[in-house]
């Protein structure tokens, strides 16, 4: 990724005219529907300032998902909102093709271990062969699959692991029960993370909630916060920005972070990892609302926490540290439409020490930034790099498919063969 940015940036005067014409169209359609800027912005989950900048031709709308939401809010089709846009196929609700996490989703339905409720309680004396002996390695393996973009294997592993841990947490002798709940909490956190990445936010929400309950039963307080972080990400994926902000800000306050009203500020590494991760959630919330000052403020707070931490870590499988903060800073800049800043930041990042998922996320966001600047070849190169690292993520993640579909929309008939082939594989054709 650390190469010189290539490709021309287009005629700025022409882009300015296009933005002004588009903004005028938005204002006309809004007025036709009888909405104020404040009312339409609320429908979109954005700030009034963002919408005002769109209508004045200052803020571009380059992402297809934002264009779709804006068209929905105005009660028109994308083509009516932007007449030069070709018809766009409706995005699929979930991953294309066979869903490797389908069975895991079924495991979330109903009570997780009804038969265990009818079992006789285990006796307290310790057993000769503790049942938890092999489960720790199983949970670590589940997380390695989640970080490694290996969802088919993850789904298969969870099919046996989750029911076993649910039963064990209810039937184990007391000395083992808390540990069983702790392992169960970490397993549900992995499942929530996987569902979030595959745009299955409703399932991610349920898994996160179960991880929080299991963590509290285990007595591991910080695991409760880790599950809460997964819940905040599920809210983000559902575009429930107010709820995501509430969840993350409550955690920051409790950890005594910047601007918080909680007790002593976080100091041990595990607490700092959690605190910084919640600041990154808040940065994304504000970015998706179009609140640039707030998004930058929370990103800087995350950077400050990362400096206190002193290096990259993987507490609670959050991969928080200076490198991940910069990867998230790229994502925030892309969400705000600051493509040049995103590229400048991303080109300085060495993500080789992080997981496949994090490296693929960076490549994808760099591709989105190039797409915003209409750097066709560079955008395709980044998308292909992301697919090479994490093919299941790119093909099963709606944000990834949306980025590719967005590039196809802009390129139109001039889309290069590599982009067309990638769009075909990812189910992102226009």
């Amino acid at each position: 990724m650390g190469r010189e940015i290539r490709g021309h940036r287009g005629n700025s005067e022409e882009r300015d005219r296009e933005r002004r014409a588009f903004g005028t169209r938005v204002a006309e359609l809004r007025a036709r529907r009888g909405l104020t800027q404040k009312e339409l912005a609320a429908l979109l989950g954005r700030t009034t300032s963002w919408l005002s900048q769109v209508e004045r031709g200052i803020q571009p709308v380059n992402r297809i998902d934002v264009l779709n939401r804006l068209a929905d809010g105005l009660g028109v089709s994308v083509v009516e909102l932007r007449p030069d846009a070709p018809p766009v196929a409706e995005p699929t609700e979930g991953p294309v093709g066979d869903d490797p996490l389908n069975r895991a989703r079924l495991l979330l339905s109903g009570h997780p271990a009804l038969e265990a409720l009818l079992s006789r309680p285990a006796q307290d004396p310790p057993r000769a062969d503790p049942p938890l002996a092999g489960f720790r390695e199983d949970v670590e393996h589940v997380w390695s699959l989640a970080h490694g973009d290996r969802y088919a294997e993850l789904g298969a592993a969870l099919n046996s692991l989750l029911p076993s841990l649910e039963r064990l947490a209810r039937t184990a002798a007391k000395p083992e029960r808390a540990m069983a709940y702790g392992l169960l909490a970490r397993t549900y956190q992995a499942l929530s993370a996987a569902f979030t990445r595959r745009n299955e936010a409703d399932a991610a929400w349920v898994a996160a909630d179960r991880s929080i309950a299991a963590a509290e039963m285990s007595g591991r307080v910080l695991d409760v916060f880790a599950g809460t972080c997964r819940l905040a990400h599920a809210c983000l994926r559902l575009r429930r920005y107010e709820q995501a902000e509430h969840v993350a800000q409550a955690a920051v306050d409790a950890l005594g972070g910047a601007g918080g009203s909680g007790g002593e500020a976080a100091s041990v590494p595990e607490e700092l990892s959690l605190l910084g991760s919640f600041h990154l959630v808040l940065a994304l919330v504000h970015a998706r609302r179009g609140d640039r000052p707030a998004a930058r403020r929370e990103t800087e707070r995350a950077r400050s926490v990362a400096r206190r931490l002193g290096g990259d870590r993987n507490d609670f499988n959050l991969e928080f540290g200076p490198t991940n903060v910069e990867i998230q800073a790229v994502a925030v800049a892309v969400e705000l439409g600051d493509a040049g800043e995103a590229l400048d930041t991303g080109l300085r990042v060495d993500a080789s020490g992080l997981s496949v998922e994090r490296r693929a996320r960076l490549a994808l966001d760099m591709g989105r930034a190039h797409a915003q600047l209409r750097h066709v070849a560079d955008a395709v190169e980044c998308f292909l790099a992301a697919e090479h690292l994490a093919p299941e993520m790119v093909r099963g993640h709606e944000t990834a498919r949306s980025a590719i579909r967005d590039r196809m929309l802009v390129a139109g008939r001039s889309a290069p063969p590599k982009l067309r082939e990638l769009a075909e594989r990812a189910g992102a054709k226009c």
Side-chain angles (χ1 to χ4, degrees):
M1 304 296 295
R3 55 179 176 74
E4 185 179 356
I5 302 173
R6 297 184 285 111
H8 69 277
R9 296 177 182 265
N11 188 300
S12 60
E13 293 183 1
E14 181 181 350
R15 290 202 301 271
D16 289 343
R17 285 196 299 270
E18 290 175 354
R19 283 201 299 267
R20 287 195 294 270
F22 178 79
T24 299
R25 182 68 174 155
V26 171
E28 290 173 350
L29 291 170
R30 176 179 59 77
R32 182 191 303 175
R33 198 174 179 197
L35 294 172
T36 65
Q37 285 186 339
K38 183 177 181 180
E39 290 169 337
L40 179 57
L43 286 174
L44 302 174
R46 296 275 181 165
T47 63
T48 305
S49 173
W50 176 86
L51 182 58
S52 174
Q53 291 180 21
V54 169
E55 293 188 354
R56 286 181 287 140
I58 299 172
Q59 172 67 50
V61 179
N62 295 318
R63 289 170 45 197
I64 188 62
D65 59 329
V66 177
L67 190 64
N68 277 326
R69 291 206 301 275
L70 184 55
D72 288 342
L74 293 168
V76 298
S77 67
V78 172
V79 175
E80 187 176 353
L81 174 59
R82 192 175 126 181
D84 63 327
V88 180
E90 288 296 319
T92 56
E93 290 297 321
V96 294
D98 294 333
D99 183 358
L101 294 180
N102 183 58
R103 175 62 182 167
R105 188 183 302 102
L106 293 178
L107 291 174
L108 294 177
S109 304
H111 192 279
L114 285 173
E115 75 284 356
L117 300 180
L118 301 177
S119 302
R120 295 182 61 183
Q123 299 299 314
D124 285 352
R127 303 168 185 171
D129 183 19
L132 291 174
F135 280 113
R136 295 184 189 87
E137 292 184 4
D138 291 340
V139 175
E140 291 299 326
H141 181 58
V142 159
W143 267 111
S144 71
L145 297 175
H147 281 313
D149 189 53
R150 296 157 62 186
Y151 295 116
E153 295 173 70
L154 175 63
L158 288 171
N159 287 344
S160 59
L161 179 60
L162 263 180
S164 297
L165 283 174
E166 285 285 8
R167 287 192 296 270
L168 189 60
R170 290 164 173 78
T171 61
K174 286 183 180 179
E176 301 171 358
R177 202 168 299 163
M179 189 176 298
Y181 272 115
L183 292 173
L184 185 61
R186 292 183 58 204
T187 303
Y188 273 124
Q189 288 166 21
L191 182 56
S192 180
F195 275 131
T196 297
R197 291 166 191 162
R198 294 182 63 81
N199 205 45
E200 296 282 336
D202 53 346
W205 186 309
V206 176
D209 189 62
R210 289 194 178 174
S211 79
I212 294 168
E216 190 163 3
M217 292 293 290
S218 76
R220 294 172 59 88
V221 174
L222 293 184
D223 269 323
V224 175
F225 282 85
T228 301
C229 192
R230 301 297 172 187
L231 178 60
H233 279 286
C235 292
L236 265 175
R237 188 66 65 193
L238 285 167
R239 299 172 186 163
R240 303 285 183 84
Y241 300 135
E242 183 177 2
Q243 288 172 282
E245 181 181 13
H246 173 77
V247 171
Q249 189 61 58
V252 167
D253 291 345
L255 289 166
S261 58
E264 295 183 2
S267 57
V268 300
E270 292 81 3
E271 292 177 353
L272 289 171
S273 291
L274 288 164
L275 177 61
S277 296
F278 282 114
H279 280 305
L280 290 178
V281 169
L282 289 170
L284 279 174
V285 167
H286 294 308
R288 291 181 182 177
R289 285 174 167 169
D291 189 341
R292 185 173 278 100
R296 292 182 184 278
R297 180 187 67 234
E298 292 300 333
T299 300
E300 285 304 316
R301 287 176 173 174
R303 284 192 176 111
S304 176
V305 174
R307 286 193 293 269
R308 291 170 61 192
L309 195 60
D312 294 329
R313 295 174 62 93
N314 192 27
D315 299 310
F316 309 102
N317 287 280
L318 293 169
E319 296 193 84
F320 183 79
T323 304
N324 198 25
V325 170
E326 298 311 309
I327 290 176
Q328 291 293 83
V330 173
V332 167
V334 171
E335 294 288 345
L336 291 170
D338 299 333
E341 178 183 332
L343 293 174
D344 289 343
T345 301
L347 289 170
R348 295 194 298 267
V349 175
D350 177 8
S352 59
L354 298 188
S355 69
V356 165
E357 184 272 331
R358 286 286 82 197
R359 301 199 306 271
R361 181 73 253 183
L362 174 61
L364 182 61
D365 284 332
M366 292 289 279
R368 293 169 65 199
H370 279 300
Q372 289 180 3
L373 294 173
R374 302 189 181 183
H375 298 167
V376 178
D378 290 343
V380 173
E381 181 181 334
C382 290
F383 291 152
L384 290 173
E387 185 189 36
H388 176 74
L389 287 166
E392 290 193 51
M393 185 188 84
V394 172
R395 298 168 193 172
H397 195 307
E398 177 52 34
T399 299
R401 297 204 303 277
S402 177
I404 297 166
R405 191 181 297 114
D406 185 23
R407 185 62 256 163
M408 286 288 292
L409 175 66
V410 173
R413 294 180 180 178
S414 64
K418 286 185 177 180
L419 178 58
R420 291 182 182 276
E421 292 166 5
L422 175 62
E424 178 74 31
R425 292 193 297 272
K429 295 188 299 181
C430 293

